[in-house]
């Protein structure tokens, strides 16, 4: 007797196997049987004729650490078919936050923490995981630990490499989180204070990840003029420490850098040929999103938000930034659009920095500096200026998973404020609709594997991301002919179309354009390997 049979669908198993006609029998939250179950005894039977039945998407690159606490329905994620999110990316996680460092940690990771009403107070990974489970998230959460957080926790948000004592403290806190189940460690080498980390610090993290067999996910030091050097740096860490490396969101910004992504992929290929466990991920858009302050020269970001803001009040520093930008700026101000600022600045949302300069009759560069200072570094941008060819090169690569770089958002609540990047609402349907069906970049079977098992395997979630007997019944049912994103840069808070059902641990969370708000079967998924 099954709890549920998905009847008459076309099964795409997430492992890359050719599609086949198979019913899916679900029992106790697991896939209990596959095949012809037309005569089987079941409590419920749903006809899914003409539809693809696939594993729910496993998002290897997410940032819902705080927003799932703000709204556990995870609407923008589950509506696009995501059933597991790997969080704590780009160096930013809520924990560890030892007593006395909580506020400083939270300020350092503000970009992924839009809802001030979310209570903090967790000190360790175990505390945080318990709080996360207590809100009953709609979808599974697999948190990683961030290097930015570890560094602030160990020594505060100050410039400079960690001291030996601080390094030891970071390793101790990371080990404790791994013991408690955290699935990986991530770097955020463009964000203060990780921006000033040295090799010894990265190797300490890499060695700890290798020891516990957890993922080392690298938001690298540079995604523009020095992309290649940045890839070489993290490959060297993997070579030295033996850690499993994920090169996060492989892309390059600035027209003068177009074409560097295939070069980076060659480096990754060579490392893989040498036996390194290296892979990468991307979202299918040619624009990224980050704090506006990410465009400042590195030296001007030292010390994090309080010092950035103070510095931008000094005329000599402002002059020095403008001087630095004469050669270092890789964006045009017309390619940088403001998507979040402070209350009272709503009229700036959707304008480029060039347009803001025009509006105030000032140099756009100065307008940018004012905006970072006046919002106390809360201004967020969408930055265009990537190439479609570079994107297609990553999407075509055998080591690529899809990772949305998104936050699970409530479009009507505090977690969805501003005009967020459309990837938050449309990443997977965009990939499957525009790039796979319409663009032919991969077979559907391969595309589903990139969105499911390939990601789950990177973080050791062996019973997720695949529809085989015994696996978790995390399932998405969609129409291959119509699945599509609707979220655009102009109007991002729109759910996709073409998805019929999303099941999490065998329970129906999404049915057409309706989400069952009280069905929240998600669990905090941890890793359990012991040190090698
Ligand atoms: Zn990142």
């Amino acid at each position: 007797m099954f709890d549920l049979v998905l009847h008459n669908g076309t099964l795409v198993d997430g492992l890359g196997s050719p599609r086949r006609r198979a019913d899916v029998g679900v029992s106790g939250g697991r896939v209990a049987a596959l095949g012809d179950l037309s005569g089987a005894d079941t409590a419920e039977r749903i006809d899914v004729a003409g539809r693809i039945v696939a594993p729910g998407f496993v998002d290897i690159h997410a940032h819902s650490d705080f927003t799932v606490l703000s709204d556990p329905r995870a609407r923008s994620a589950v509506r696009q078919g995501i059933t597991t999110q790997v969080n704590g990316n780009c160096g930013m996680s809520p924990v560890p936050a030892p007593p006395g460092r909580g506020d400083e940690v939270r300020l350092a990771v503000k970009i992924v923490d839009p809802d001030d009403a979310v209570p903090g107070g967790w000190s360790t990974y175990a505390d945080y995981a318990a709080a996360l489970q207590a809100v009953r998230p709609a979808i599974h959460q697999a948190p990683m630990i961030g290097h930015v957080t570890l560094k602030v926790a160990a020594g505060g948000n100050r410039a400079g490499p960690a001291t030996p004592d601080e390094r030891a403290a970071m390793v101790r806190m990371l080990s404790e989180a791994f013991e408690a189940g955290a699935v990986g460690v991530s770097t955020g080498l463009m964000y203060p204070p990780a921006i000033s980390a040295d090799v010894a610090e990265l190797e300490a993290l890499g060695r700890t990840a290798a020891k516990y067999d957890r993922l080392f996910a690298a938001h690298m030091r540079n995604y523009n003029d020095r992309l290649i050097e940045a890839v070489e740096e993290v490959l060297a860490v993997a070579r030295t420490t033996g850690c499993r490396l994920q090169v996060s969101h492989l892309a390059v910004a600035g027209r003068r850098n177009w074409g560097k992504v295939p070069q980076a992929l060659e480096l990754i290929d060579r490392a893989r040929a040498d036996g390194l466990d290296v892979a990468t991920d991307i979202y299918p858009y040619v624009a990224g999103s980050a704090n506006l302050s990410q465009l400042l020269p590195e030296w001007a970001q030292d010390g994090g938000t309080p010092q950035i803001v103070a510095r931008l009040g000094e005329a000599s520093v402002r002059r020095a930034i403008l001087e630095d930008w004469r050669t270092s700026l890789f964006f045009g101000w017309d390619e940088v659009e403001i998507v979040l600022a402070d209350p009272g600045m709503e009229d700036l949302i959707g304008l480029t920095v060039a347009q803001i300069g025009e509006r105030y009759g000032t140099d756009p560069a100065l307008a940018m500096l004012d905006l970072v200072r006046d919002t106390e570094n809360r201004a967020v941008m969408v930055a265009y200026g990537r190439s479609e060819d570079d994107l297609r090169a990553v999407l075509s690569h055998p080591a690529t998973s899809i990772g949305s770089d998104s936050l699970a958002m409530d479009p009507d609540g505090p977690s969805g404020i501003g005009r967020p990047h459309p990837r938050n609402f449309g990443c997977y349907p965009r990939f499957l609709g525009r790039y796979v069906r319409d663009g032919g970049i991969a077979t559907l079977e391969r595309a589903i594997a990139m969105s499911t098992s390939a990601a789950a395997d990177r973080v050791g979630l062996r019973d997720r991301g695949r529809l085989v007997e015994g696996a978790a019944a995390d399932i998405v049912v969609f129409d291959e002919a119509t699945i599509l994103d609707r979220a655009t840069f102009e109007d991002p808070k729109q759910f996709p179309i073409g998805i019929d059902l999303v099941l999490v641990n065998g329970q129906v969370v999404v049915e057409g354009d309706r989400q069952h708000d009280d069905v929240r079967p998600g669990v905090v998924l941890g890793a359990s390997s012991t040190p090698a």
Side-chain angles (χ1 to χ4, degrees), residues 172-509:
R172 183 178 46 71
M173 289 185 281
L174 181 58
S175 301
E176 184 184 310
F178 283 163
E179 302 271 354
V183 298
V185 60
S186 74
T187 64
L189 293 171
M190 290 173 81
Y191 296 102
I195 201 167
S196 53
D198 62 7
V199 173
E201 198 172 325
L202 295 180
E203 288 182 354
L205 302 179
R207 265 192 299 277
T208 311
K211 179 175 162 189
Y212 285 86
D213 190 26
R214 305 296 158 85
L215 189 66
F216 183 105
H219 177 127
M220 300 183 292
R221 211 178 281 282
N222 192 282
Y223 285 88
N224 47 77
D225 294 348
R226 283 171 288 122
L227 176 77
I228 299 304
E229 294 88 329
V231 173
E232 282 169 344
E233 179 185 37
V234 295
L235 287 175
V237 171
R239 234 177 259 280
T240 307
T241 66
C243 69
R244 181 150 41 94
L245 174 67
Q246 187 77 5
V247 174
S248 294
H249 43 56
L250 181 55
V252 75
R255 191 171 285 270
R256 68 191 183 196
N257 296 310
W258 288 6
K260 284 185 181 172
V261 165
Q263 292 175 40
L265 289 168
E266 275 174 35
L267 291 177
I268 290 172
D269 284 337
R270 231 174 291 156
R272 285 162 63 88
D274 291 345
L276 268 67
D277 188 353
V278 187
T280 190
D281 53 76
I282 195 59
Y283 45 89
Y285 296 85
V286 288
S289 178
N291 286 94
L292 184 59
S293 63
Q294 280 285 293
L295 296 180
L296 293 171
E298 281 175 26
W299 58 265
Q301 296 183 49
D302 271 348
T305 292
Q307 292 196 44
I308 292 173
V309 172
R311 204 174 274 136
L312 294 182
E314 293 172 34
S316 62
V317 176
R318 292 164 73 92
R319 275 196 304 276
I321 292 171
L322 297 189
E323 184 55 34
D324 191 305
W325 272 344
R326 282 157 55 99
T327 54
S328 68
L329 192 68
F330 52 91
F331 272 110
W333 292 121
D334 57 343
E335 294 175 318
V336 178
E337 186 176 301
I338 301 305
V339 297
L340 180 63
D342 271 356
M345 298 180 170
E346 285 80 6
D347 58 325
L348 301 184
I349 304 301
L351 296 185
T352 65
V353 173
Q355 289 167 328
I356 292 171
E358 230 165 82
R359 170 171 301 192
Y360 294 118
T362 177
D363 181 342
L366 293 173
M368 181 281 194
L369 298 181
D370 289 345
L371 202 48
V372 172
R373 184 194 56 195
D374 296 347
T375 61
E376 296 184 353
N377 197 23
R378 284 183 291 268
V380 177
M381 65 178 166
V382 158
Y384 299 90
R386 296 181 184 176
S387 110
E388 191 71 35
D389 287 345
D390 280 344
L391 171 59
R392 294 182 73 90
V394 194
L395 289 174
S396 309
H397 193 273
T400 299
S401 303
I402 302 300
S404 72
D405 208 356
S406 74
L407 292 65
M409 290 177 173
D410 171 13
D412 307 314
S415 58
I417 53 166
R419 198 164 90 167
H421 193 297
R423 66 193 177 195
N424 293 289
F425 287 79
C427 173
Y428 289 85
R430 177 180 179 85
F431 176 55
L432 296 174
R434 295 182 201 274
Y435 285 86
V436 176
R437 180 189 59 231
D438 302 341
I441 199 148
T443 63
L444 181 68
E445 288 85 346
R446 165 79 193 132
I448 294 293
M450 290 167 74
S451 309
T452 58
S453 68
D457 289 352
R458 295 304 292 158
V459 281
L461 301 175
R462 303 286 171 198
D463 65 341
R464 308 280 158 182
R466 63 209 67 213
L467 287 184
V468 296
E469 281 181 26
D474 298 336
I475 300 173
V476 57
V477 176
F478 63 91
D479 183 352
E480 185 186 11
T482 61
I483 189 168
L484 199 65
D485 61 315
R486 290 169 63 240
T488 61
F489 286 97
E490 294 72 32
D491 192 2
K493 295 180 205 175
Q494 300 196 74
F495 297 118
I497 55 168
I499 294 180
D500 298 274
L501 290 171
V502 181
L503 279 69
V504 177
N505 276 359
Q507 298 190 47
V508 176
V509 178

Side-chain angles (χ1 to χ4, degrees), residues 102-184:
D103 292 347
E104 214 178 343
V105 163
R106 225 158 146 181
L107 185 60
V109 303
K110 181 69 190 156
I111 179 100
V112 297
D113 179 19
D115 181 1
D116 290 333
V118 171
W122 331 280
S123 169
T124 64
Y125 172 84
D127 296 341
Y128 168 72
L132 192 53
Q133 191 58 68
V135 301
R136 297 193 302 114
I139 59 178
H140 308 306
Q141 305 289 307
M144 296 195 293
I145 299 297
H147 176 204
V148 167
T149 302
L150 284 168
K151 201 164 160 67
V152 173
N157 198 341
R158 60 161 189 82
T163 64
D165 281 354
E166 287 166 357
R167 249 186 352 248
M170 289 162 67
V171 167
R172 183 178 46 71
M173 289 185 281
L174 181 58
S175 301
E176 184 184 310
F178 283 163
E179 302 271 354
V183 298

